[in-house]
Amino acid sequence: MEWAEGTGKTLEEAQQDALQQLGASADEVQFEVLQRPGALGSIFGRAEFRVRAILEDRLEQQEEPGEPVAIEEPPAEAEPQEVPHRDLAETARELLQQMVDLMGVEGTVQIAECTDEEVRLNVEGDDMGLLIGRHGATLDAVQLVIAIVANRRVDAGARVIVDAEDYRARHQAMIESRAHKLAEEAKETGKEVVVPDLKAYERRLMHMALKSDPEVETYSEGEGNDRVLVISPIV
Amino acid sequence: MRDLVELMVKSLVDDPDQARVNEVSGESIVVYEVSVAEEDLGKVIGKGGRIANAMRTIVKAASTKTDRKATVEILS
């Protein structure tokens, strides 16, 4: 039988690809969807449709009893679209607003920033303490869920940041000033300062903050929850 | 609260029609039991339970507004 397999980011692209290889038009063939992008595929940007286009007349000839060709009509909602991050941002914003409402939090979600790599949402309102949680734990949890779902619905592969009352921005400034304070301590005492209980990105912030300080060096050691950042004075 | 769990679960899975959230009420705690299609289990649990833990954190935070604590359990 005469057929060709096509791939593409959208179902249409995959079908076009297959048609080109066959040199046929869409009404001459039957499409069979071989593969849809799964959720993981979308997250890691390997989302791809794979379809098989089978020429119609051949299809009839090979119609044997007991061997039906599985022709699957694709459900429309499963199609990822090629869209700019504004759609990702809007999808994430809507979802976050729904979640905030259902959490019983009075808050309005706004798209604070929308760049090539990053979509940043900010929630403003009362009760932000509830949404932020201890050390930002609730905010991190909300961000994880929003990022996964939004990137799945809109295959954009951008980072999604969820903030509330600019907590993350303020927290970053706090981590940086703490880094400088501890660096001074290391210089004054001439001893290493060990900083435990930091999240990975907090360690990164401290490393970056002290990179330009010629009098100290920083490194991390230990594994998992025991991993610590060390600020070491250069003598 | 059940709506919140349902929104998250149904958004995370490939097969939302097979996703169920069952509310089990205790005296001081409400447990939301989540069951999904077998292929979707990984999507609601996540690597090392990251996603399930995130849902627990969110539900726990939201439950401070109610009279009982709430948590999420994934049934498999």
Side-chain angles (χ1 to χ4, degrees), chain A residues 47-74:
Chain A
E48 217 174 39
F49 275 91
R50 210 152 61 83
V51 299
R52 177 181 290 161
I54 305 160
L55 269 178
E56 279 285 6
D57 54 338
R58 307 291 169 129
L59 196 72
E60 279 158 30
Q61 280 170 24
Q62 62 123 46
E63 224 172 286
E64 308 283 346
E67 264 269 43
V69 181
I71 310 284
E72 204 184 321
E73 272 303 314

Side-chain angles (χ1 to χ4, degrees), chain B residues 9-70:
Chain B
V9 169
K10 287 189 186 272
S11 304
L12 286 164
V13 297
D14 278 339
D15 190 352
D17 291 341
Q18 279 207 58
R20 299 267 180 281
V21 178
N22 186 29
E23 185 176 319
V24 182
S25 280
E27 224 164 83
S28 60
I29 191 165
V30 185
V31 181
Y32 293 91
E33 293 181 340
V34 172
S35 54
V36 297
E38 210 183 322
E39 304 80 58
D40 279 331
L41 262 179
K43 299 207 173 67
V44 288
I45 295 172
K47 205 193 282 177
R50 267 174 80 216
I51 299 174
N53 282 333
M55 287 198 285
R56 266 177 216 125
T57 303
I58 293 166
V59 165
K60 194 173 145 198
S63 74
T64 58
K65 289 221 136 198
T66 68
D67 55 352
R68 279 176 299 179
K69 278 198 276 184

Side-chain angles (χ1 to χ4, degrees), chain A residues 206-214 216 218:
Chain A
M206 284 204 174
H207 286 305
M208 307 256 282
L210 298 178
K211 222 166 125 183
S212 55
D213 189 334
V216 293
T218 62

Side-chain angles (χ1 to χ4, degrees), chain A residues 95 145 149 152-153, chain B residues 6-14 16:
Chain A
L95 186 68
V145 173
V149 176
R152 242 180 69 126
R153 289 192 186 164
Chain B
E6 230 171 52
L7 172 71
M8 291 192 285
V9 169
K10 287 189 186 272
S11 304
L12 286 164
V13 297
D14 278 339

